[in-house]
Amino acid sequence: MGLPEFWFILIAVLFTGYFVLEGFDFGVGMLMGLIGRRDDNKRRAILNTIGPVWDGNEVWLLTAGGAMFAAFGGWYATMFTAFYIPLLIILVALIVRVCAIEWRGKINDSQWRTAWDWCIAIGSWVPALLWGVAFANVVRGLPIDASAQFTGTFWGLLNPYALLGGVTTLLVFLTHGAVFLSLKTAGELRAESMVWASRLSIVMTAVAAAFLLWTQFAYGKAWTWVPVLAAAVAAIATVAFTWTKREGWAFGATSIAIILTIVTLFGCLYPAVLPSTTNPAYSLTIANTSS
C-alpha cells in the first residue's frame, strides 16, 4: 500500500467517524422539533444528551477536510468548486446550529429559547440531508472536463440518485439520534424516543436498502457486495433491537450500518476520487490528484 492509498483510507476513516458521531447529534437536533415541540423542559433534556460531545464531534469533519486538502489537492479543489453552494448552505446551517446551542440559555425567556430551538432543528435537518446528496454525487460522478473543471450546475446535483442518498442519510441520522436519545434519557422521554426509533428504523431500512442496491448495481465492484449485505443485516438488526427496546444493541447496529455504508461508497470510488461523467478519462484518481 502506497502513501496515496493510506491517505485515501484515512480520509474514509475520518468521514466515518464524523458520520457516526455527528450523526446522532444531527438526529437529536432534528428530534427537538418532533419530540419536544411543545415542551420547553423536554427540549432542554433532549439537548443535554449531546451537550458534552457535540462540539468535539465536529472536529472529525475539520480533520477530514484538512487531510483531503493536504493529500489530494486536486480532489479538494474540484469537489469544493462543484459543491460550493451545497457546502455553503451546510456551513451556514452548522454555524446557526452552534450559535443556537450556545445562546439558547443566555436569556431566561421561553420565546427566546423556542426560537433558538427551531434553529437547532433546522441546523440539523439541512446538513443531514445535504451530506447524503453530496456523497451520492461524488460516487455518481460529476461533469468534469480535461482541465479538472466542474462544468455542471447546482440543479444538476439534485438528480434522483443524489436525492435518494440525501433522504437515506436523513433517515439514518434520525434513527441513530432516536436510539441515542433513548440511551441517555429515562421515563417518558425514553419511551417516546424508543417509539420514534422503532418506527423510523423500518422506513430507514427500506430507503437505505434501495440506495445501497442502486449504488451497488450502478457503481459497485464484486467485493462491495460484502459491506452492502452486511449493512442490510445491521439495518434489520436495528429494527429488531428497537422493537424489543434494546437500545444499546440498536445503537451499535446503527453505528455499524453507517460504517459499512461509508465503506461501500469509498469502495465504489476507488481508485477514483471523483469520476467524470463527461469522459471517464477525465476522472480524478488518487494518483493524479495527490499533492
Side-chain angles (χ1 to χ4, degrees):
M1 180 176 66
L3 196 58
E5 288 79 11
F6 169 80
W7 279 103
F8 183 79
I9 293 172
L10 177 61
I11 291 168
V13 170
L14 291 170
F15 273 112
T16 300
Y18 176 69
F19 287 131
V20 170
L21 298 175
E22 190 74 342
F24 68 73
D25 280 356
F26 288 146
V28 169
M30 289 186 279
L31 289 167
M32 285 186 69
L34 299 174
I35 295 177
R37 60 186 179 277
R38 294 188 179 91
D39 190 330
D40 181 60
N41 292 329
K42 191 176 287 186
R43 292 197 302 272
R44 176 72 262 178
I46 292 172
L47 186 59
N48 283 344
T49 62
I50 61 171
V53 297
W54 68 267
D55 50 349
N57 292 342
E58 294 185 344
V59 175
W60 288 85
L61 176 62
L62 299 176
T63 310
M68 187 182 296
F69 175 78
F72 303 106
W75 182 16
Y76 179 92
T78 302
M79 190 173 75
F80 275 70
T81 300
F83 295 147
Y84 181 84
I85 294 177
L87 290 176
L88 177 62
I89 295 172
I90 289 174
L91 180 61
V92 170
L94 292 176
I95 291 172
V96 169
R97 179 171 170 267
V98 169
C99 292
I101 293 173
E102 293 290 346
W103 295 348
R104 180 191 189 275
K106 298 299 184 183
I107 298 177
N108 187 21
D109 178 77
S110 60
Q111 291 184 340
W112 169 272
R113 290 192 295 270
T114 299
W116 286 116
D117 287 344
W118 277 108
C119 290
I120 294 172
I122 294 170
S124 301
W125 282 89
V126 171
L129 175 68
L130 291 184
W131 277 124
V133 172
F135 267 82
N137 270 300
V138 171
V139 173
R140 176 179 179 269
L142 298 171
I144 301 170
D145 63 18
S147 301
Q149 298 297 312
F150 175 66
T151 59
T153 65
F154 169 75
W155 300 110
L157 301 176
L158 304 180
N159 54 80
Y161 174 70
L163 292 175
L164 180 60
V167 175
T168 299
T169 53
L170 187 72
L171 290 170
V172 169
F173 293 161
L174 262 174
T175 307
H176 198 42
V179 173
F180 177 81
L181 195 55
S182 68
L183 269 174
K184 295 296 182 178
T185 56
E188 180 186 350
L189 187 52
R190 174 184 176 274
E192 195 170 352
S193 300
M194 283 306 299
V195 170
W196 276 94
S198 59
R199 293 174 178 174
L200 284 167
S201 64
I202 297 175
V203 182
M204 175 207 73
T205 300
V207 174
F211 175 68
L212 286 175
L213 286 174
W214 189 341
T215 301
Q216 177 62 28
F217 283 117
Y219 314 106
K221 302 175 176 67
W223 74 266
T224 52
W225 273 112
V226 176
V228 167
L229 296 176
V233 172
I236 294 170
T238 300
V239 176
F241 291 139
T242 53
W243 280 90
T244 55
K245 297 180 173 55
R246 300 169 69 183
E247 56 266 49
W249 286 96
F251 186 77
T254 54
S255 299
I256 292 171
I258 293 171
I259 292 169
L260 292 169
T261 299
I262 300 301
V263 170
T264 300
L265 296 180
F266 274 83
C268 290
L269 272 177
Y270 183 82
V273 291
L274 199 56
S276 172
T277 57
T278 303
N279 187 331
Y282 301 157
S283 297
L284 305 183
T285 69
I286 62 172
N288 63 23
T289 60
S290 56
S291 300

